Amino acid sequence: MKGTRNVSDQDKPRVLQIGRLLPWLEEQLAAHFDLVLLAQQPNPQAYVAEHGREFVAAVTSAAVGIDAAMMDSLSALKVISSFGVGLDKVDVQAAARRGIPVGYTPDVLNDCVADTAFTLLLDVARRASEADRFVRRGAWLTDKFPLATRASGKRLGIVGLGRIGRTIAKRASGFDMEIRYHNRRPAEGVDFGYEASLTELARWSDFLVVAAAGGAESQGLISAEVLQALGPQGFLINIARGTVVDEPALIQALRDKAIAGAGLDVYVDEPRVPEALFALDNVVLLPHVASATHETRQAMAALVLDNLLAFFSEGRPKVAAPVA
């Protein structure tokens, strides 16, 4: 994965890897392509300026992304393959203007992300992490742990009824929950109640789960007004993107007990989580691990590779990101 080319690499498509990926995936990419790992270059910016025109493909991740400036530096770029489902750091529109398809990895992570949503929902409602801390500090010897909130049979509002939102709804059926959802428009093929007003969905919900896509259109979607509507008996769960929630408003709502609690896997400035959340017992904090299982990450890695192989053999990625 050096910057210079071997004779054996001459016939392989030259691929630039932006950011580190799973070791198995890096090995497979190096076996199939003339791969350069940008992070290994002493001066990545200078390397791209000198060699950018040599690359026909780029591999990145949802966490790292690729912007229009980087694409402009890769004048021969024909395809991008991204590890993850989030596209807020991948300039899909800039790629589309140049006719560059963007492969990504939806569907294979739906189950694990939905599982994590329910992990957070049950944890914050039943106060599991809080109870764990209670036992570990020896408080059970002298005190009784306070009552928690039942999850089964409650009302679940889903913000964003896409692939992951629908999988969350399947999980909710096992808990006999009533489901309503909010999208920009009603979804086809579902029987759940549609709520055109996000604020009204929050007012109706006992649990509001955020599964909407990130990006400029959804920034701050869960506003102070939405949190106020959710109310002191309501819980917020976010497994989407941190930017979808007005983070200062959420912190204030948790401090003031304006909502009952929150379960968070994502934050605005990851991995920097607001320290104000650390002292609050009514929030459960995960380090963006919704898809972080061996099985799902392997499936995502395989699809990143398949997207590139499909492009170079068939002219298009196996799964390409939509262009609005």
Side-chain angles (χ1 to χ4, degrees):
M1 286 188 270
K2 301 297 184 181
T4 57
R5 304 187 71 176
N6 298 321
V7 174
S8 60
D9 290 331
Q10 294 296 322
D11 295 330
K12 294 180 179 180
R14 196 151 167 81
V15 176
L16 183 66
Q17 181 182 323
I18 305 169
R20 299 310 300 258
L21 298 165
L22 295 183
W24 177 88
L25 178 55
E26 292 187 350
E27 291 171 6
Q28 292 297 312
L29 290 170
H32 287 86
F33 304 102
D34 178 11
L35 183 70
V36 173
L37 179 54
L38 190 57
Q40 290 182 340
Q41 305 309 313
N43 187 330
Q45 187 174 2
Y47 180 85
V48 170
E50 182 178 355
H51 298 282
R53 64 186 179 280
E54 301 170 7
F55 295 95
V56 294
V59 180
T60 186
S61 66
V64 174
I66 180 170
D67 60 18
M70 175 63 81
M71 293 181 206
D72 288 342
S73 300
L74 308 176
S75 57
L77 188 65
K78 295 180 180 178
V79 64
I80 297 165
S81 186
S82 181
F83 181 96
V85 70
L87 296 169
D88 43 313
K89 292 186 178 181
V90 177
D91 196 332
V92 178
Q93 297 299 327
R97 287 193 292 271
R98 285 180 52 186
I100 300 169
V102 177
Y104 73 142
T105 63
D107 292 327
V108 295
L109 48 65
N110 295 351
D111 285 323
C112 281
V113 175
D115 289 350
T116 301
F118 260 85
T119 298
L120 286 167
L121 188 155
L122 292 171
D123 192 334
V124 70
R126 295 304 305 269
R127 307 174 76 164
S129 290
E130 183 185 353
D132 177 84
R133 294 190 293 269
F134 178 86
V135 172
R136 289 175 187 273
R137 68 174 178 262
W140 197 13
L141 297 171
T142 58
D143 202 359
K144 289 184 177 180
F145 190 73
L147 297 177
T149 299
R150 172 177 163 170
S152 57
K154 294 296 182 69
R155 294 179 294 191
L156 178 70
I158 300 175
V159 183
L161 198 71
R163 296 179 179 93
I164 292 171
R166 292 177 191 231
T167 308
I168 291 169
K170 289 182 182 178
R171 302 291 186 274
S173 67
F175 288 84
D176 299 320
M177 301 180 91
E178 185 180 352
I179 300 168
R180 292 185 185 177
Y181 72 97
H182 170 78
N183 275 0
R184 282 179 290 182
R185 61 186 64 88
E188 295 181 1
V190 298
D191 296 327
F192 313 127
Y194 172 69
E195 181 56 71
S197 166
L198 176 55
T199 302
E200 289 308 311
L201 178 66
R203 202 181 315 280
W204 173 86
S205 299
D206 297 308
F207 298 92
L208 189 66
V209 178
V210 184
E217 290 185 358
S218 63
Q219 187 166 0
L221 188 66
I222 307 301
S223 62
E225 180 185 5
V226 172
L227 294 169
Q228 183 179 13
L230 184 58
Q233 305 301 318
F235 296 85
L236 180 75
I237 309 297
N238 188 11
I239 46 79
R241 285 291 181 269
T243 54
V244 180
V245 175
D246 181 336
E247 206 164 65
L250 174 61
I251 292 169
Q252 193 63 47
L254 289 166
R255 278 176 169 165
D256 296 345
K257 305 290 176 58
I259 64 172
L264 307 175
D265 185 48
V266 289
Y267 312 88
V268 171
D269 187 24
E270 298 175 3
R272 286 164 287 277
V273 177
E275 291 189 13
L277 294 171
F278 296 167
L280 301 176
D281 271 333
N282 59 344
V283 61
V284 177
L285 307 172
L286 299 183
H288 201 155
V289 292
S291 66
T293 64
H294 296 293
E295 298 87 350
T296 289
R297 290 294 171 86
Q298 181 61 36
M300 291 168 67
L303 187 48
V304 169
L305 178 63
D306 286 347
N307 277 331
L308 282 180
L309 293 174
F311 177 81
F312 286 109
S313 63
E314 303 169 13
R316 60 182 181 275
K318 185 175 180 180
V319 184
V323 179

